[in-house]
Amino acid sequence: MLDFSTAAPAYNLIAFIGKAVLALLLLVLCINSADFVFLKCRFHYLKLIETLWLHCLPISSGLTSSPAYELIFATICVHNRQEIMKWNGWGYSDSRFFFNKKGQAEFTGKRYRLSGLLIPGLKDWFESTFGANLQHKTPAILNSSAVLPPTLNDAFVEELKSTGIPISFEAEDRVFRGHGHCLHEIFALREGKVGRVPDMVVWPSCHNDVVKIVELACKHNVCLIPYGGGTSVSSALECPPEESRSIVSLDTSQMNQILWIDEKNLTARVEAGIVGQDLERLLNESGYCTGHEPDSMEFSSLGGWVATRASGMKKNIYGNIEDLVVHVKMVTPRGVIEKSCQGPRMSTGPDVHHFIMGSEGTLGVVTEVTMKIRPMPEYQKYGSVVFPNFEQGVACLREVAKQRCAPASIRLMDNEQFKFGHALKPQVSSIFTSFLDGLKKFYITKFKGFDPNHLCVATLLFEGNREKVLQHEKQVYDIAAKFGGLAAGEDNGQRGYMLTFVIAYLRDLGMDYYVIGESFETSVPWDRVLDICRNVKARIVQECKDKGVQFPPLSTCRVTQTYDAGACVYFYFAFNYRGLGDPVHVYEQVEHAAREEILANGGSLSHHHGVGKLRKQWMRDTVSDVGMGMIKSVKDYVDPNNIFGNRNLL
Amino acid sequence: MEDTSSHSERAELEEEPEFVDILEERRSSTDLGFALRTFSPQPYREASPCSSSDLSRAVMESQFLRYVVKEIATETGVTVKEVREDARTILEEMSQNLQLGFIRLMAYTLSKVFKRLFSNIFVNIEGLNMLQQAVQENPVILMPNHRSYMDFLAISYILFSYDIPVPVIAAGIPLLGMKIVGEILRRSGAFFIRRSIGSDKLYWAVLSEYIKTIVRKGFAPVEFYVEGLRSRTLKSLVPRLGMMHMVLEPFFKGEVFDITLVPISISYDRVLEESLLAHELLGIPKPKESTTGLLKASKVLQEDYGSMHVTFGRPLSVRRLCHNKINRCQYNLIPRDLPQKPSADIQACVSWLAHLMVRFQEGGSVISPWSLMASLLLQTPVTVLLGEGLLWHRLTEKTLWLRKLALEFGGRLKWPARARHSDVMSSAAERHRSVVRCQAGRVHLVQEDEPARKHAASREDGVSRTAAAVLMLASYRNQCMHVFVRPAILAAAIRTSRATRREELFNYFFFLQDIFSNEFIFVPGKSSQDFNEACYLLKKCGAVHITQQEVNVSDRGQEVLDFLQALLQPFINSYQVVFRYLCEDDHQVFSERQFLPSVRKLATKLILSGELDTFETLSSDMQKNVLSALRRLEIVRKTMGSEQSEYRVNKGAVRRIQDTLSGKIPPRKLQTPPDAKL
Ligand SMILES: Cc1cc2nc3c(=O)[nH]c(=O)nc-3n(C[C@H](O)[C@H](O)[C@H](O)COP(=O)(O)OP(=O)(O)OC[C@H]3O[C@@H](n4cnc5c(N)ncnc54)[C@H](O)[C@@H]3O)c2cc1C
């Protein structure tokens, strides 16, 4: 066993000083805007400092290429995350796209590889794809005073205060935790519209804190909504407007410790509030990783993953969350549920873990999880393949899945996304130049025969020991060649993955210029992949036209995961809403139609985003009446008074 | 939703500028140049070129066919290889082999033929423009009606002229029998389907996979006759659902985003085969479709056939039509390429769409003055027509009256605007001099010359010669039946039931529709819509007053009702004769083989005795329709196990229909509401 806090780090002194100064600065900021909560629970300072301390450590990395995200420091486990994160958009406040005076796109900040770079192609792509115009701006309106004063349950507050667990009634804290990242949520915030938000926020710092909070909530009949990273895209965090009780947001961010690492069994016990990037970094320091990397890993939390049945990019090696979890502890109104041992598999009736995974905060709070860990891979290699068309690309992925030789990640973008990726080429940067030139040459020489309006790209990520990776790589490229695929270089692939972390920022840029959009996903049997891609994209275009959208929408997709029996498909859809009276309503109608189309084509309601409130109208058809009854009876038993009243799923 | 019952007030067609005579240019420029023009149509944008061998390979390699082949092999004990060989043979017999060179040959030949036969071929340009657009967006199914052999390649010819991809066409196998012509047709895009497939599972499998593959690949539009056959009576036929289901399935199963259906209406002033058809209906077997037969028919090239009108209907999106009608999720739990019996909602939807398409064809067809004249001549006693004749000015007067009514009912009437009415009519009569003769201000029915015989002609021969002439008239009347049939059924309901209450009338209306739904096209489940349409039309022409509860005939309405009732009368009479035959017979069982001759015999007897004046009863088409209707109503059932097909009749039920039809008893209360779901 390894005690984490005593691990002696080696660090670069200068870097340390620089970072420490920044950390201090941040602390000061925290105190300035500090609410009385901070003053009440001083020991949290200590924890915060400790966290910052850890974050100041240089990333120890045995990787040949470092992870696609790379932050200077990350401190989103602080109470008031809104200090460093946008309250009405995606990600860090300092990181955003904008069009400079010359009309060139730039990405600000210093956190990402794209930060500080110009992206010359974006403007043209943006304008021609959406018919958007840089003259037509729709800036966000800042108006946090619209928040209604909290409805409080005084007895509950009193007793809670006596436990010393930090709480807040501040409008900003409440608004920040009253939404996820669905388009309608962000759009409303940008317009300064705030609906029902939690009445207060509470920050437990350990399992026992949660037990106390849940007990009090039951005793005083208040509604609890667990809050992890806030990256939900299913309206799961929205407060039900019909809820008349006091709503308490239970923010898990202070439960962010790795409690132990078991090197013999390769597992780690982790508190559920830890966010993905912290978990990976902390484990990396000991030479391990979980390998669970959802695109939202900078901000989403372990508890959130469990609660939504999340899926990571590298699931082919590491598995999805359900494959990674060995043991879970959840606090429910009935008490604590957990298994008595950590056996790798059990035949003990229905697996109770599966009541917990995907429960979306309706049954209780996940507090601690034992997860599988792996030694960090010795070697990582990106790659990419260009196919003459999407059909060939899908056929190749299917073959790769058939031969069960999928790399850690394999993703296939359609032609529109390929072009989009192209538009995001940054101007100058050492790591990009080679790629740029390479690509240019590539087009002229190799791809002459390919129709630029049909070709599509698969990006690949291999991991493991060097020799095996190279072998594996060859196997995959050989298969690709059978489907007309040409290897298109490592940089191309790496860029593809890196872009996944900045793409979420792009929606905010679009919203500055009348463009709204969203992505949604499904899983579908192999024989339907092509049909579903074609039909859903066409349906989106048709619905937009029918609903009076003036400009053809961007309607694109990619296959992001392969399985033995099918694949996960992501759709991206955005349009210019100039001339529409109620763009969000139009947007919702189109998304609704697209989901109906997905279901009619044999796709699932969700592969990993979950159901939340956004998709619950289809739950009954999805799981059958009896299935609904089963879920409902579990809910009725575990939480008869609907303390966990976010009203997801059912 | 597209509505079949819209009644836009239509101007007469001559005023419709969108009609263009495609022969006009053909008469002024060289046919060879036309045939060799550059042909570069814009195809469906998702399609990639597909040769006929690519297509065959795709069919042979399909999972579906493999599965069926294996199944058949297991069932019959034959090896998979042999069954596959059989499948390949079927496919080879079936396959089209569309080649541009042959399209050009066709364009050249047809230019010559069409110019000879027709004075004009009118095509609605707006429809073609819409088609041109639609062809690029989704797989397109062209659905023409079929009234003459002449229309077989007419669509391809027109599309070739307008740079639209030419279709592959479902044709009956007999055409293939015509040696060289069969091969030429094949290369012009025809694929061949056997007439009676019955329960030949392998054949069905090959055919459906073949058609579905064409639709999925979308390399060419598919053309097929939803009516299944060439209509011998010029009346729309009840649609066949097999092929319709095959073309739609790729949409149901999500293999294509959408399918576009294009109803096409072809109308002739005069049909080449008119007298052949009449004879065929009277039981004189038609000549086999042979090359020499066609060549002999070349004497028809000397005659005047007036013009041909081709109306390309508005392209219809299957996706939109089916919205909320079917549950596409039903295919989620079984691999889509396994054979699966279509569910009830799919079957209902296919049937609904097929009927709808026939209704659109009807709506788009053009009615000639002659059709109105024929309808009126048929309402004149045959004895008069054969004897002193009908006064020409009386016919003129009535025709002009009917013209007004037809326009009011929304018929697409083609009536030259600038010509004098009497000229229009006399030139129509002149064109049809094989049926009518005008002499000294009177119109007479023309009977064919008596064939030279050894012995004197019997009275029965006389009946069938008269019947041939009457059936020719009837077929032209049938061209406009769809305009009048709903109000006519209401008229019959008003007259027979003598009711005024809407509800009662609707009951009787529904009863008549039910009986006659093998005769006329009614979209299933749309009875109350049809009823409302009929009420609306009668009210519009001033024939009835309508209140919430009641429908009352106005004074001037009697003339309209007389006409409408008389229009339906031959059908009612004929059905009654068949009912009578079925009840008269001592035994409960009759054989298929004896049915037609016996009914014909009874009808002839009744005509000779003066009891029946409806010669149309002699039409085998009518007789078969009665039988189909009774089988549909499960009053007549096929008995199992007998060598030849035999039927068992429920005489009580037949009598009940007889009595209801003659107004002796009211129709039974409706069991199921007529507008359930579809
Ligand atoms: C840009 C972007 C990219 C994304 N990419 C991916 C991806 O690649 N893969 C993927 O799977 N998802 C992805 N998501 C969706 C989202 O990140 C996941 O659903 C994630 O698991 C949510 O975690 P969270 O910590 O942010 O949870 P939150 O958003 O805070 O909450 C989600 C739900 O879980 C409940 N919950 C949270 N914590 C707990 C707890 N401890 N106990 C009980 N219930 C809890 C909440 O009540 C809520 O109902 C993405 C989202 C965005 C915005």
Side-chain angles (χ1 to χ4, degrees), chain A residues 534, chain B residues 42-50 55 96 98 134-141 165-168 210-222 247 250 255-256 258-260:
Chain A
R534 176 199 340 99
Chain B
Q42 278 289 320
Y44 168 44
R45 56 181 146 70
E46 303 239 329
S48 41
C50 175
L55 182 60
Q96 53 81 25
L98 185 60
V135 157
Q136 296 168 39
E137 277 156 23
N138 289 302
V140 164
I141 315 296
V166 292
V168 295
Y210 186 70
I211 289 175
K212 287 185 284 187
T213 310
I214 297 174
V215 175
R216 286 192 285 249
K217 289 189 176 272
F219 63 91
V222 178
V247 301
E255 294 162 337
V256 295
D258 197 356
I259 290 173
T260 304

Side-chain angles (χ1 to χ4, degrees), chain B residues 25 48 108 201 221 225 270 286 317 393 523 525 527 567 585:
Chain B
E25 203 196 319
S48 41
Y108 180 76
K201 198 164 154 185
Y225 301 114
R270 184 177 165 207
K286 67 167 187 168
S317 149
H393 82 249
V523 178
S527 286
L567 195 64
D585 216 3

Side-chain angles (χ1 to χ4, degrees), chain A residues 27 80 83 105 175 194 199 246 268 271 301 310 334 381 473 538 579 583 640:
Chain A
L27 251 182
N80 40 357
E83 288 303 323
V175 170
V194 183
D199 298 299
S246 180
E271 287 185 309
S301 69
R334 279 272 168 198
K381 192 171 182 192
E473 191 186 22

Side-chain angles (χ1 to χ4, degrees), chain B residues 286-348:
Chain B
K286 67 167 187 168
K288 247 192 106 191
E289 286 155 52
S290 65
T291 314
T292 43
L294 196 74
L295 292 178
K296 260 189 227 146
S298 62
K299 80 162 195 280
V300 302
L301 294 181
Q302 268 95 56
E303 297 263 331
D304 165 22
Y305 292 96
S307 8
M308 171 177 171
H309 279 84
V310 184
T311 308
F312 288 84
R314 174 179 298 283
L316 301 164
S317 149
V318 171
R319 172 174 279 270
R320 288 188 199 270
L321 286 167
C322 294
H323 188 66
N324 283 339
K325 285 218 159 61
I326 53 162
N327 175 7
R328 286 187 287 144
C329 293
Q330 63 188 280
Y331 300 103
N332 287 357
L333 297 179
I334 299 178
R336 289 173 299 170
D337 33 28
L338 290 194
Q340 217 179 324
K341 197 178 171 314
S343 64
D345 68 334
I346 291 288
Q347 284 181 15

Side-chain angles (χ1 to χ4, degrees), chain B residues 61 159 217 298 317 341 392 421 505 531 564 573 657 665:
Chain B
E61 282 169 9
L159 298 194
K217 289 189 176 272
S298 62
S317 149
K341 197 178 171 314
W392 174 257
H421 290 329
L505 283 175
F531 179 72
L564 291 175
N573 292 349
I657 296 188
I665 55 170

